Amino acid sequence: MQQIPVAIDRGSPVPLYHQLAEQLTAAIESGRLQPGDAFENEVALAERLDLSRPTVRRAIAELVSRGLLVRRRGVGTTVASTVIHRRDELTSLYDDMARRGQRPTTTVLDFEPDVLNPVAAHAMALPEDTPLLHIARLRSAGEIPTALMHNWLPPRFAALTRKDIAKGSLYAALRALGAHPAVAHQTIGARRPSARERKLLSLASGDPLLTMSRRAYAADGSPVEYGDHCYRFDQYAFDVTVYER
């Protein structure tokens, strides 16, 4: 287990936990600590740096919240795999991965035309008996499964093929058909995975899922897609900027 040199300035107005968190973050982001590396435990780190355990605990919790460390029962704390940060932009997961050089791949699990789904139809302000195209995909970063995505599309996208979906991003395929998603409403949450989701995403027992539902529209207000997605908690994060009213 690698010990990262840390310099604590006790005379600085910057809180001790923040100094520690920033230096540990730099070690991870620079590649000095690699994904999967065991992380020095709280007690050992506190003793080595002559810091209180609550101070060290708070610093470690900060890195966990940033998606840089993962705590697992029976395993301990390890450096997380590279996390995909989705900003508050209308982009596809495929594009986000490609931008980070993560070799996105797609496994098409289901491709079902003429599906009736009242929930999805209602989300797109369509009649409940509207036949929709349902697509289910597993998106991976290299060999690491990252997201399980269900999307429902209006009838005007009936020309879309399984091959179109398998070779790249959904939004790229939609643009090729003349659709241009311009705005979306997203709801972000978390929940426990189903047995199937746990298997597909290679999750351990007790691991949570990050979830997102999305309603996307073209500039003229017509619906483009409704998506119900779930993500591995240690592979994905949302970055959102908020402003004072």
Side-chain angles (χ1 to χ4, degrees), residues 45-99:
L45 196 55
E47 290 180 353
R48 179 165 70 87
L49 301 177
D50 192 24
L51 294 171
S52 69
R53 286 184 63 182
T55 295
V56 173
R57 187 178 304 125
R58 187 171 180 183
I60 292 175
E62 178 71 19
L63 269 67
V64 171
S65 71
R66 296 178 187 177
L68 298 174
L69 295 179
V70 178
R71 284 172 166 162
R72 290 192 175 180
R73 186 177 300 172
V75 177
T77 303
T78 58
V79 178
S81 300
T82 303
V83 174
I84 301 161
H85 288 260
R86 171 165 272 177
R87 298 171 294 182
D88 52 340
E89 301 173 348
L90 186 52
T91 60
S92 70
L93 175 57
Y94 188 97
D95 294 335
D96 293 336
M97 287 180 166
R99 187 164 48 202

Side-chain angles (χ1 to χ4, degrees), residues 144-160:
I144 303 173
T146 300
L148 182 59
M149 302 176 292
H150 290 269
N151 296 84
W152 289 265
L153 309 178
R156 63 192 178 106
F157 298 119
L160 204 61

Side-chain angles (χ1 to χ4, degrees), residues 99-211:
R99 187 164 48 202
R100 295 180 63 88
Q102 291 189 294
R103 297 187 300 111
T105 59
T106 303
T107 302
V108 180
L109 304 174
D110 290 305
F111 190 88
E112 304 172 296
D114 300 327
V115 168
L116 298 183
N117 186 311
V119 173
H122 178 74
M124 292 186 285
L126 297 171
E128 291 187 356
D129 59 353
T130 301
L132 305 174
L133 172 60
H134 169 240
I135 303 164
R137 296 163 295 155
L138 178 67
R139 179 63 46 74
S140 301
E143 301 298 321
I144 303 173
T146 300
L148 182 59
M149 302 176 292
H150 290 269
N151 296 84
W152 289 265
L153 309 178
R156 63 192 178 106
F157 298 119
L160 204 61
T161 68
R162 192 183 189 104
K163 184 178 179 181
D164 294 332
I165 299 302
K167 66 183 180 182
S169 78
L170 173 60
Y171 278 15
L174 293 176
R175 291 187 185 101
L177 293 177
H180 297 279
V183 64
H185 174 80
Q186 297 181 162
T187 301
I188 301 165
R191 61 174 172 81
R192 295 180 183 276
S194 67
R196 182 171 184 266
E197 290 167 339
R198 186 180 299 114
K199 180 179 180 180
L200 287 170
L201 293 172
S202 300
L203 294 169
S205 177
D207 285 350
L209 283 177
L210 178 64
T211 65

